[in-house]
Amino acid sequence: MIRAFVTVVVLLACEASADCMGAWLRAAPDVQVELTPNAHVLVTLGGSHTSVSPAKLVFMSGTKRVPAELVRTFDGYQQKLVLVRATLEPGSWELIIEGMKTAQRLGPWKVVPSGDAVVPAFEQPPVAGDTKWTAYGCGPGSSLKVKQVKTNEPVFIEAAATVNGQTTVGLLVPREQELELGHGMCSGGFSFKPGARVSVVLTPVDFAGNRGAPSERLMFTAPSP
């Protein structure tokens, strides 16, 4: 079993407006988490970093360098989420972005020799929670929360959101058994038009890439001013 505390990949809506115009990086799982040799890491590229090519992401341990293999990307609200993987030897590994003037490092994470055969699963059915529209100085926040996002191990969540027959698949990270599908002032997951009828199916994916069974379809009406 992988032991971890996961980080949020959606920026909080209360960030200063200066952050909205800058550049930021996030990664999940959190630092010092134990990963299997088939390690998967979710990187958030925000602001001007959204132009960074996933091909520039490289895992590094001392003098060892392993190019990150792109699994999937998701263009969220003013941010890009990139799921990458690599086959890594046991030890401490970081993820770097090559070619940048200022060194950018994410991690480190501890890679252990043993694999992970545990299939991630929801311990109870997720349920649609509150929706909320909030006016901020640099733009609105549109929150659509999913409750009871409790799993048998730390996971990413693949969210397949359907509006008017068109489905977009995003990658998010739950926090405290909640998942935020919307966005804050600066960035976030999905951006739904106010009043849109949204259906969402959630699938847990662990840090070794194992996929669990999807949830039942959840229904939302995107909040309005």
Side-chain angles (χ1 to χ4, degrees), residues 3-225:
R3 300 186 300 275
F5 289 101
V6 296
T7 57
V8 182
V9 296
V10 179
L11 292 178
L12 295 177
C14 60
E15 288 184 289
S17 60
D19 291 336
C20 298
M21 303 179 67
W24 61 90
L25 297 170
R26 299 284 190 275
D30 204 355
V31 297
Q32 300 300 339
V33 165
E34 289 187 356
L35 297 176
T36 65
N38 185 28
H40 286 63
V41 173
L42 183 62
V43 179
T44 301
L45 303 168
S48 61
H49 281 339
T50 56
S51 62
V52 172
S53 169
K56 298 291 187 180
L57 295 171
V58 176
F59 286 93
M60 184 174 68
S61 178
T63 60
K64 300 174 185 176
R65 301 167 75 87
V66 178
E69 176 186 336
L70 177 63
V71 179
R72 182 174 298 172
T73 63
F74 167 49
D75 292 323
Y77 178 71
Q78 298 185 26
Q79 66 183 19
K80 177 186 289 185
L81 286 89
V82 180
L83 181 63
V84 296
R85 67 163 299 278
T87 301
L88 305 175
E89 297 178 358
S92 179
W93 290 84
E94 294 178 304
L95 189 62
I96 66 170
I97 301 177
E98 288 189 320
M100 300 193 74
K101 294 181 180 179
T102 303
Q104 302 287 343
R105 297 174 180 268
L106 299 167
W109 301 279
K110 180 182 178 182
V111 175
V112 298
S114 58
D116 177 13
V118 175
V119 176
F122 292 113
E123 294 187 352
Q124 55 190 341
V127 297
D130 299 334
T131 64
K132 184 179 181 181
W133 178 278
T134 306
Y136 292 107
C138 289
S142 177
S143 175
L144 298 85
K145 289 188 177 181
V146 180
K147 305 282 190 178
Q148 293 185 185
V149 186
K150 185 178 181 181
T151 53
N152 61 337
E153 60 176 321
V155 295
F156 309 121
I157 295 293
E158 179 186 276
T162 301
V163 179
N164 295 327
Q166 295 187 338
T167 300
T168 301
V169 179
L171 292 164
L172 303 169
V173 177
R175 182 186 187 186
E176 296 179 353
Q177 300 182 27
E178 291 187 355
L179 188 72
E180 175 60 79
L181 297 174
H183 63 82
M185 177 179 70
C186 298
S187 64
F190 295 91
S191 180
F192 302 115
K193 291 183 178 180
R197 190 64 173 160
V198 183
S199 68
V200 179
V201 175
L202 307 178
T203 301
V205 183
D206 70 18
F207 302 154
N210 299 314
R211 295 173 60 85
S215 72
E216 296 293 329
R217 189 172 298 276
L218 306 178
M219 302 300 298
F220 291 90
T221 299
S224 303

